[in-house]
Amino acid sequence: REPSTKIAKACKLTREQVNYKIKKYQSEGLIRGFFTLFDWNKFGYDHLVNLLLKFERPSSIKQFISELKDDKNCISYGKIYGKYDLYLNAVFKSEKELGDYIARIDEKENLISHYLILNPYFAELYPLKFFNHKNKETIVYSYKERKTRKFDDKEIEILKILAKNARARIIDIAKKVGLSAELIIYKIKKLKKDGVIVGSRIQFDMSKLNFYFSLLTLNIKNFSKTKQEKIKRFAENSKHVNSLTFLLGKPNCTIQLFHKEESELRKTIEEIKELLKEESFEIEVLLIGDDEHEINPLPFL
């Protein structure tokens, strides 16, 4: 939600030029949307998981995707090329809710042949590293302590609007919600202060930037703190690593890469093998497609 005036100053442009360029990027499909980041724990959802699904028949995928638009747990999804067919990023209130969700999928006879559940407990993100942006963000996922917050009806309306468009104008939010602009500003500041709103992101069409992304899953034997720190240093300094995640269970680590050429993917894999040459580990490469639809960070509202 950076103001256009602040962006203009940083880029040495006029405010009008900034607004024109942003609209142009959107019309060209380079920017697919702006979405808000929330702490799902505040809503009672403290289980974020990544599901990798393999379908019995490719013809089943389209029907499954058509049902995701009304899914109350799915934040985003996309295609995988290789061992699996589809990934889902989803949030749940408990392990039981996750178990029930998987059971419903299993009940659909001859639909899913197998699946993999990735349970993250730690992540480091390097947003826009491919534009030489050196910022690093650390996320620690808590599965023990729930810190829910109550929301009034107006706050829910505001959150729904910001979930769809993180750059929604205050004046437009005020009209839709039926409150003054001043009160909207106050409520958004309060939601940020309470840790409900934690940031925002741009959803790019990476293919228009000539980038592809791949996911490396690693299972490292005796994944000690020392080995974790070694992986962290590598991920932070590697040109192509966009995010690093540590997981409960097997695999116990994933690394997401942005790359333009297959040679860059190969080179990074070789670097990881060299880094872990004294370790016992397994590595698998998954080629990932763009999110298939607009990201919905609050599917349960």
Side-chain angles (χ1 to χ4, degrees):
R1 295 189 61 80
E2 291 281 21
S4 297
T5 49
K6 188 174 180 179
I7 298 173
K9 185 176 180 181
C11 298
K12 297 181 180 178
L13 297 170
T14 66
R15 183 173 177 274
E16 290 73 22
Q17 286 174 314
V18 168
N19 289 332
Y20 169 77
K21 287 179 180 291
I22 290 176
K23 287 179 181 178
K24 181 172 181 286
Y25 299 148
Q26 288 181 276
S27 66
E28 292 174 345
L30 175 60
I31 292 178
R32 296 176 61 187
F34 305 94
F35 63 96
T36 304
L37 299 176
F38 300 97
D39 181 351
W40 295 293
N41 200 303
K42 298 294 192 296
F43 300 88
Y45 288 77
D46 52 12
H47 279 66
L48 170 67
V49 301
N50 314 115
L51 296 175
L52 309 184
L53 306 175
K54 179 65 179 177
F55 290 78
E56 285 283 357
R57 298 179 297 274
S59 58
S60 303
I61 301 174
K62 188 175 180 180
Q63 174 61 33
F64 184 86
I65 287 176
S66 70
E67 297 172 4
L68 288 177
K69 65 180 183 217
D70 299 318
D71 194 293
K72 298 300 182 184
N73 301 97
C74 180
I75 297 169
S76 62
Y77 62 86
K79 292 178 180 177
I80 305 176
Y81 305 94
K83 183 177 180 179
Y84 297 94
D85 297 312
L86 201 71
Y87 70 82
L88 300 182
N89 297 315
V91 287
F92 300 92
K93 288 184 176 180
S94 63
E95 288 186 5
K96 182 182 182 305
E97 187 178 42
L98 169 59
D100 291 343
Y101 189 90
I102 296 297
R104 287 197 300 273
I105 294 177
D106 280 342
E107 286 171 3
K108 298 178 180 180
E109 189 176 357
N110 297 324
L111 182 65
I112 305 293
S113 61
H114 61 275
Y115 58 83
L116 178 65
I117 302 175
L118 304 178
N119 282 292
Y121 66 86
F122 172 88
E124 278 192 351
L125 313 176
Y126 318 101
L128 299 181
K129 184 190 276 188
F130 51 90
F131 283 150
N132 295 317
H133 194 291
K134 300 191 182 299
N135 187 39
K136 177 179 74 173
E137 297 180 9
T138 300
I139 302 173
V140 178
Y141 301 96
S142 173
Y143 295 95
K144 296 180 180 179
E145 187 178 3
R146 180 171 293 181
K147 299 179 180 178
T148 56
R149 179 190 185 279
K150 292 184 178 180
F151 302 93
D152 62 40
D153 292 341
K154 295 300 184 181
E155 286 177 327
I156 293 294
E157 289 185 58
I158 292 169
L159 290 169
K160 285 182 177 180
I161 294 170
L162 292 178
K164 290 182 178 179
N165 180 11
R167 282 187 68 81
R169 298 191 308 165
I170 295 296
I171 190 170
D172 293 332
I173 299 174
K175 287 179 181 178
K176 290 179 181 178
V177 177
L179 296 176
S180 68
E182 292 76 16
L183 193 49
I184 294 295
I185 292 172
Y186 168 79
K187 284 186 172 291
I188 290 177
K189 284 183 177 179
K190 185 72 166 59
L191 289 166
K192 288 181 178 179
K193 183 180 178 182
D194 292 348
V196 178
I197 296 174
V198 295
S200 60
R201 285 283 188 276
I202 297 174
Q203 184 183 10
F204 290 105
D205 183 334
M206 296 304 293
S207 64
K208 292 185 184 300
L209 290 168
N210 297 317
F211 276 96
Y212 302 93
F213 62 99
S214 303
L215 186 71
L216 306 181
T217 67
L218 292 92
N219 192 55
I220 304 169
K221 191 174 180 180
N222 301 322
F223 198 29
S224 64
K225 287 290 184 182
T226 301
K227 294 175 186 177
Q228 291 177 18
E229 290 302 318
K230 184 190 292 188
I231 290 286
K232 285 181 188 178
R233 288 194 298 271
F234 170 81
E236 186 175 354
N237 294 318
S238 174
K239 180 180 179 182
H240 302 293
V241 174
N242 180 64
S243 67
L244 167 70
T245 306
F246 295 155
L247 308 163
L248 301 170
K250 298 180 180 180
N252 51 26
C253 177
T254 61
I255 297 175
Q256 182 176 282
L257 307 176
F258 281 168
H259 53 92
K260 289 189 174 183
E261 306 290 342
E262 184 183 342
S263 59
E264 295 171 336
L265 171 59
R266 290 180 185 177
K267 184 175 184 294
T268 305
I269 293 173
E270 287 300 323
E271 289 171 347
I272 291 172
K273 288 183 176 180
E274 177 64 22
L275 180 76
L276 300 173
K277 63 183 179 181
E278 302 297 332
E279 310 298 338
S280 175
F281 71 98
E282 297 173 355
I283 186 169
E284 187 171 359
V285 182
L286 302 174
L287 304 179
I288 309 294
D290 271 339
D291 291 307
E292 289 287 304
H293 70 139
E294 288 187 5
I295 293 171
N296 181 8
L298 296 176
F300 42 81
L301 287 187

Short mmCIF file of all heavy atoms in Angstrom, two decimals, residues 210-247:
data_model
loop_
_atom_site.label_atom_id
_atom_site.label_comp_id
_atom_site.label_asym_id
_atom_site.label_seq_id
_atom_site.Cartn_x
_atom_site.Cartn_y
_atom_site.Cartn_z
N ASN A 210 9.62 -13.65 -18.32
CA ASN A 210 10.51 -14.70 -18.83
C ASN A 210 11.17 -15.53 -17.72
O ASN A 210 12.30 -15.96 -17.84
CB ASN A 210 11.59 -14.11 -19.74
CG ASN A 210 11.00 -13.45 -20.98
OD1 ASN A 210 10.09 -13.99 -21.60
ND2 ASN A 210 11.50 -12.28 -21.33
N PHE A 211 10.41 -15.71 -16.63
CA PHE A 211 10.89 -16.54 -15.53
C PHE A 211 10.04 -17.80 -15.40
O PHE A 211 8.83 -17.78 -15.66
CB PHE A 211 10.83 -15.78 -14.20
CG PHE A 211 12.02 -14.91 -13.93
CD1 PHE A 211 11.98 -13.56 -14.24
CD2 PHE A 211 13.17 -15.43 -13.35
CE1 PHE A 211 13.07 -12.73 -13.99
CE2 PHE A 211 14.27 -14.62 -13.10
CZ PHE A 211 14.22 -13.27 -13.41
N TYR A 212 10.69 -18.88 -15.01
CA TYR A 212 10.01 -20.11 -14.63
C TYR A 212 10.35 -20.37 -13.17
O TYR A 212 11.35 -19.86 -12.67
CB TYR A 212 10.49 -21.29 -15.48
CG TYR A 212 10.28 -21.07 -16.95
CD1 TYR A 212 11.29 -20.53 -17.74
CD2 TYR A 212 9.08 -21.42 -17.57
CE1 TYR A 212 11.11 -20.32 -19.09
CE2 TYR A 212 8.89 -21.21 -18.92
CZ TYR A 212 9.91 -20.66 -19.69
OH TYR A 212 9.72 -20.46 -21.03
N PHE A 213 9.52 -21.15 -12.48
CA PHE A 213 9.97 -21.50 -11.14
C PHE A 213 9.80 -22.98 -10.85
O PHE A 213 8.91 -23.64 -11.38
CB PHE A 213 9.39 -20.61 -10.04
CG PHE A 213 7.90 -20.62 -9.86
CD1 PHE A 213 7.31 -21.38 -8.89
CD2 PHE A 213 7.09 -19.79 -10.62
CE1 PHE A 213 5.94 -21.35 -8.68
CE2 PHE A 213 5.73 -19.74 -10.42
CZ PHE A 213 5.15 -20.53 -9.46
N SER A 214 10.74 -23.47 -10.09
CA SER A 214 10.82 -24.89 -9.75
C SER A 214 10.89 -25.03 -8.24
O SER A 214 11.34 -24.12 -7.53
CB SER A 214 12.06 -25.53 -10.37
OG SER A 214 12.07 -25.36 -11.77
N LEU A 215 10.45 -26.18 -7.76
CA LEU A 215 10.51 -26.48 -6.33
C LEU A 215 11.42 -27.68 -6.12
O LEU A 215 11.21 -28.73 -6.73
CB LEU A 215 9.12 -26.77 -5.78
CG LEU A 215 9.02 -26.95 -4.26
CD1 LEU A 215 9.23 -25.63 -3.56
CD2 LEU A 215 7.67 -27.56 -3.88
N LEU A 216 12.41 -27.51 -5.28
CA LEU A 216 13.28 -28.61 -4.90
C LEU A 216 12.85 -29.11 -3.53
O LEU A 216 12.77 -28.33 -2.58
CB LEU A 216 14.75 -28.16 -4.84
CG LEU A 216 15.32 -27.46 -6.08
CD1 LEU A 216 16.78 -27.10 -5.85
CD2 LEU A 216 15.18 -28.34 -7.32
N THR A 217 12.53 -30.39 -3.43
CA THR A 217 12.22 -30.98 -2.12
C THR A 217 13.44 -31.78 -1.68
O THR A 217 14.01 -32.55 -2.47
CB THR A 217 10.99 -31.90 -2.18
OG1 THR A 217 11.27 -33.04 -2.99
CG2 THR A 217 9.80 -31.15 -2.76
N LEU A 218 13.87 -31.56 -0.45
CA LEU A 218 15.03 -32.25 0.09
C LEU A 218 14.65 -32.97 1.37
O LEU A 218 13.88 -32.44 2.18
CB LEU A 218 16.17 -31.27 0.40
CG LEU A 218 16.86 -30.58 -0.78
CD1 LEU A 218 16.20 -29.25 -1.07
CD2 LEU A 218 18.33 -30.36 -0.46
N ASN A 219 15.18 -34.16 1.52
CA ASN A 219 15.08 -34.85 2.80
C ASN A 219 16.50 -35.12 3.27
O ASN A 219 17.22 -35.94 2.71
CB ASN A 219 14.30 -36.16 2.69
CG ASN A 219 13.94 -36.71 4.04
OD1 ASN A 219 13.33 -36.02 4.85
ND2 ASN A 219 14.35 -37.94 4.33
N ILE A 220 16.93 -34.36 4.29
CA ILE A 220 18.30 -34.39 4.78
C ILE A 220 18.35 -35.17 6.08
O ILE A 220 17.64 -34.85 7.04
CB ILE A 220 18.83 -32.95 5.00
CG1 ILE A 220 18.69 -32.15 3.70
CG2 ILE A 220 20.28 -32.97 5.48
CD1 ILE A 220 18.93 -30.66 3.86
N LYS A 221 19.17 -36.20 6.10
CA LYS A 221 19.27 -37.05 7.28
C LYS A 221 19.89 -36.28 8.44
O LYS A 221 20.82 -35.50 8.25
CB LYS A 221 20.12 -38.28 6.96
CG LYS A 221 20.08 -39.35 8.04
CD LYS A 221 20.84 -40.60 7.60
CE LYS A 221 20.79 -41.67 8.68
NZ LYS A 221 21.52 -42.89 8.25
N ASN A 222 19.35 -36.48 9.65
CA ASN A 222 19.84 -35.80 10.85
C ASN A 222 19.93 -34.28 10.60
O ASN A 222 21.00 -33.68 10.65
CB ASN A 222 21.22 -36.34 11.27
CG ASN A 222 21.18 -37.82 11.56
OD1 ASN A 222 20.21 -38.31 12.13
ND2 ASN A 222 22.23 -38.53 11.16
N PHE A 223 18.76 -33.69 10.34
CA PHE A 223 18.69 -32.27 9.93
C PHE A 223 18.88 -31.37 11.15
O PHE A 223 17.95 -30.79 11.69
CB PHE A 223 17.34 -32.01 9.26
CG PHE A 223 17.31 -30.76 8.42
CD1 PHE A 223 18.45 -30.26 7.81
CD2 PHE A 223 16.11 -30.09 8.23
CE1 PHE A 223 18.40 -29.11 7.03
CE2 PHE A 223 16.06 -28.94 7.46
CZ PHE A 223 17.21 -28.46 6.86
N SER A 224 20.13 -31.24 11.57
CA SER A 224 20.48 -30.50 12.78
C SER A 224 20.43 -29.00 12.54
O SER A 224 20.32 -28.53 11.42
CB SER A 224 21.90 -30.88 13.22
OG SER A 224 22.84 -30.49 12.22
N LYS A 225 20.55 -28.23 13.64
CA LYS A 225 20.58 -26.78 13.57
C LYS A 225 21.75 -26.29 12.70
O LYS A 225 21.65 -25.33 11.95
CB LYS A 225 20.69 -26.17 14.97
CG LYS A 225 19.43 -26.25 15.80
CD LYS A 225 18.35 -25.33 15.24
CE LYS A 225 17.11 -25.33 16.14
NZ LYS A 225 16.04 -24.46 15.58
N THR A 226 22.88 -26.98 12.82
CA THR A 226 24.06 -26.62 12.04
C THR A 226 23.79 -26.76 10.54
O THR A 226 24.13 -25.87 9.74
CB THR A 226 25.26 -27.51 12.42
OG1 THR A 226 25.52 -27.34 13.82
CG2 THR A 226 26.49 -27.12 11.63
N LYS A 227 23.14 -27.85 10.17
CA LYS A 227 22.81 -28.06 8.76
C LYS A 227 21.75 -27.06 8.28
O LYS A 227 21.80 -26.58 7.15
CB LYS A 227 22.32 -29.50 8.55
CG LYS A 227 23.39 -30.55 8.81
CD LYS A 227 22.82 -31.94 8.71
CE LYS A 227 23.86 -32.99 9.11
NZ LYS A 227 23.32 -34.37 9.08
N GLN A 228 20.81 -26.74 9.16
CA GLN A 228 19.79 -25.76 8.80
C GLN A 228 20.42 -24.39 8.54
O GLN A 228 20.05 -23.70 7.58
CB GLN A 228 18.75 -25.67 9.91
CG GLN A 228 17.87 -26.90 10.04
CD GLN A 228 16.89 -26.81 11.19
OE1 GLN A 228 16.59 -25.73 11.70
NE2 GLN A 228 16.37 -27.96 11.62
N GLU A 229 21.36 -23.99 9.38
CA GLU A 229 22.03 -22.70 9.19
C GLU A 229 22.84 -22.69 7.90
O GLU A 229 22.90 -21.67 7.20
CB GLU A 229 22.95 -22.40 10.39
CG GLU A 229 22.21 -22.07 11.68
CD GLU A 229 21.26 -20.89 11.54
OE1 GLU A 229 21.66 -19.90 10.90
OE2 GLU A 229 20.14 -20.97 12.07
N LYS A 230 23.42 -23.81 7.56
CA LYS A 230 24.18 -23.91 6.31
C LYS A 230 23.25 -23.70 5.10
O LYS A 230 23.58 -22.98 4.16
CB LYS A 230 24.84 -25.29 6.22
CG LYS A 230 25.73 -25.47 5.00
CD LYS A 230 26.18 -26.92 4.83
CE LYS A 230 27.12 -27.34 5.93
NZ LYS A 230 27.71 -28.69 5.64
N ILE A 231 22.08 -24.33 5.15
CA ILE A 231 21.09 -24.19 4.08
C ILE A 231 20.58 -22.75 4.00
O ILE A 231 20.39 -22.19 2.92
CB ILE A 231 19.91 -25.16 4.30
CG1 ILE A 231 20.36 -26.60 4.08
CG2 ILE A 231 18.75 -24.82 3.37
CD1 ILE A 231 20.57 -26.99 2.64
N LYS A 232 20.35 -22.13 5.18
CA LYS A 232 19.88 -20.74 5.21
C LYS A 232 20.86 -19.80 4.53
O LYS A 232 20.47 -18.93 3.74
CB LYS A 232 19.66 -20.29 6.66
CG LYS A 232 18.42 -20.85 7.33
CD LYS A 232 18.33 -20.28 8.75
CE LYS A 232 17.24 -20.92 9.56
NZ LYS A 232 17.19 -20.40 10.95
N ARG A 233 22.13 -19.95 4.84
CA ARG A 233 23.16 -19.08 4.25
C ARG A 233 23.21 -19.27 2.73
O ARG A 233 23.33 -18.30 1.98
CB ARG A 233 24.52 -19.37 4.88
CG ARG A 233 24.67 -18.89 6.30
CD ARG A 233 26.12 -18.88 6.75
NE ARG A 233 26.70 -20.23 6.73
CZ ARG A 233 26.65 -21.06 7.76
NH1 ARG A 233 26.03 -20.71 8.89
NH2 ARG A 233 27.21 -22.26 7.68
N PHE A 234 23.09 -20.51 2.31
CA PHE A 234 23.11 -20.79 0.87
C PHE A 234 21.91 -20.11 0.18
O PHE A 234 22.05 -19.45 -0.84
CB PHE A 234 23.07 -22.29 0.61
CG PHE A 234 22.84 -22.64 -0.83
CD1 PHE A 234 23.89 -22.63 -1.74
CD2 PHE A 234 21.56 -22.95 -1.29
CE1 PHE A 234 23.67 -22.93 -3.08
CE2 PHE A 234 21.33 -23.25 -2.63
CZ PHE A 234 22.39 -23.24 -3.53
N ALA A 235 20.71 -20.30 0.76
CA ALA A 235 19.49 -19.77 0.16
C ALA A 235 19.53 -18.25 0.06
O ALA A 235 19.13 -17.66 -0.95
CB ALA A 235 18.27 -20.22 0.97
N GLU A 236 20.02 -17.62 1.12
CA GLU A 236 20.07 -16.15 1.13
C GLU A 236 21.02 -15.62 0.07
O GLU A 236 20.76 -14.58 -0.55
CB GLU A 236 20.50 -15.66 2.51
CG GLU A 236 20.44 -14.15 2.67
CD GLU A 236 20.74 -13.69 4.08
OE1 GLU A 236 20.89 -14.55 4.98
OE2 GLU A 236 20.83 -12.47 4.29
N ASN A 237 22.10 -16.32 -0.19
CA ASN A 237 23.13 -15.82 -1.10
C ASN A 237 22.98 -16.32 -2.53
O ASN A 237 23.60 -15.78 -3.45
CB ASN A 237 24.52 -16.21 -0.59
CG ASN A 237 24.86 -15.51 0.73
OD1 ASN A 237 24.58 -14.34 0.90
ND2 ASN A 237 25.43 -16.26 1.67
N SER A 238 22.17 -17.34 -2.73
CA SER A 238 21.98 -17.88 -4.07
C SER A 238 21.14 -16.92 -4.92
O SER A 238 20.09 -16.43 -4.48
CB SER A 238 21.29 -19.24 -4.01
OG SER A 238 20.98 -19.71 -5.30
N LYS A 239 21.55 -16.69 -6.13
CA LYS A 239 20.89 -15.74 -7.02
C LYS A 239 19.47 -16.16 -7.37
O LYS A 239 18.59 -15.32 -7.58
CB LYS A 239 21.71 -15.58 -8.30
CG LYS A 239 21.13 -14.62 -9.32
CD LYS A 239 22.02 -14.52 -10.55
CE LYS A 239 21.42 -13.57 -11.58
NZ LYS A 239 22.26 -13.50 -12.80
N HIS A 240 19.21 -17.46 -7.43
CA HIS A 240 17.94 -17.94 -7.96
C HIS A 240 16.96 -18.43 -6.90
O HIS A 240 15.82 -18.76 -7.24
CB HIS A 240 18.21 -19.06 -8.97
CG HIS A 240 19.10 -18.65 -10.09
ND1 HIS A 240 18.71 -17.72 -11.04
CD2 HIS A 240 20.38 -18.99 -10.39
CE1 HIS A 240 19.70 -17.54 -11.90
NE2 HIS A 240 20.73 -18.28 -11.52
N VAL A 241 17.37 -18.50 -5.64
CA VAL A 241 16.47 -18.99 -4.59
C VAL A 241 15.51 -17.88 -4.17
O VAL A 241 15.92 -16.80 -3.77
CB VAL A 241 17.26 -19.49 -3.36
CG1 VAL A 241 16.30 -19.85 -2.23
CG2 VAL A 241 18.10 -20.70 -3.73
N ASN A 242 14.21 -18.18 -4.28
CA ASN A 242 13.18 -17.20 -3.93
C ASN A 242 12.64 -17.42 -2.52
O ASN A 242 12.21 -16.49 -1.86
CB ASN A 242 12.04 -17.26 -4.94
CG ASN A 242 10.93 -16.28 -4.64
OD1 ASN A 242 11.14 -15.09 -4.68
ND2 ASN A 242 9.75 -16.79 -4.33
N SER A 243 12.65 -18.68 -2.07
CA SER A 243 12.17 -18.97 -0.71
C SER A 243 12.73 -20.29 -0.22
O SER A 243 13.08 -21.18 -1.01
CB SER A 243 10.64 -19.00 -0.66
OG SER A 243 10.14 -20.11 -1.38
N LEU A 244 12.83 -20.39 1.09
CA LEU A 244 13.32 -21.59 1.76
C LEU A 244 12.32 -21.96 2.85
O LEU A 244 11.86 -21.09 3.60
CB LEU A 244 14.70 -21.32 2.38
CG LEU A 244 15.22 -22.34 3.39
CD1 LEU A 244 15.60 -23.63 2.68
CD2 LEU A 244 16.42 -21.78 4.16
N THR A 245 11.98 -23.24 2.95
CA THR A 245 11.03 -23.68 3.96
C THR A 245 11.52 -24.95 4.63
O THR A 245 12.00 -25.86 3.96
CB THR A 245 9.64 -23.96 3.33
OG1 THR A 245 9.20 -22.81 2.60
CG2 THR A 245 8.62 -24.28 4.40
N PHE A 246 11.41 -24.98 5.97
CA PHE A 246 11.68 -26.21 6.73
C PHE A 246 10.34 -26.83 7.10
O PHE A 246 9.39 -26.12 7.48
CB PHE A 246 12.49 -25.90 7.99
CG PHE A 246 13.88 -25.38 7.69
CD1 PHE A 246 14.55 -24.58 8.62
CD2 PHE A 246 14.53 -25.68 6.50
CE1 PHE A 246 15.83 -24.10 8.36
CE2 PHE A 246 15.81 -25.20 6.23
CZ PHE A 246 16.46 -24.42 7.17
N LEU A 247 10.29 -28.15 7.02
CA LEU A 247 9.03 -28.86 7.15
C LEU A 247 9.07 -29.92 8.24
O LEU A 247 10.13 -30.47 8.56
CB LEU A 247 8.68 -29.56 5.82
CG LEU A 247 8.71 -28.70 4.56
CD1 LEU A 247 8.78 -29.59 3.33
CD2 LEU A 247 7.51 -27.79 4.50
#
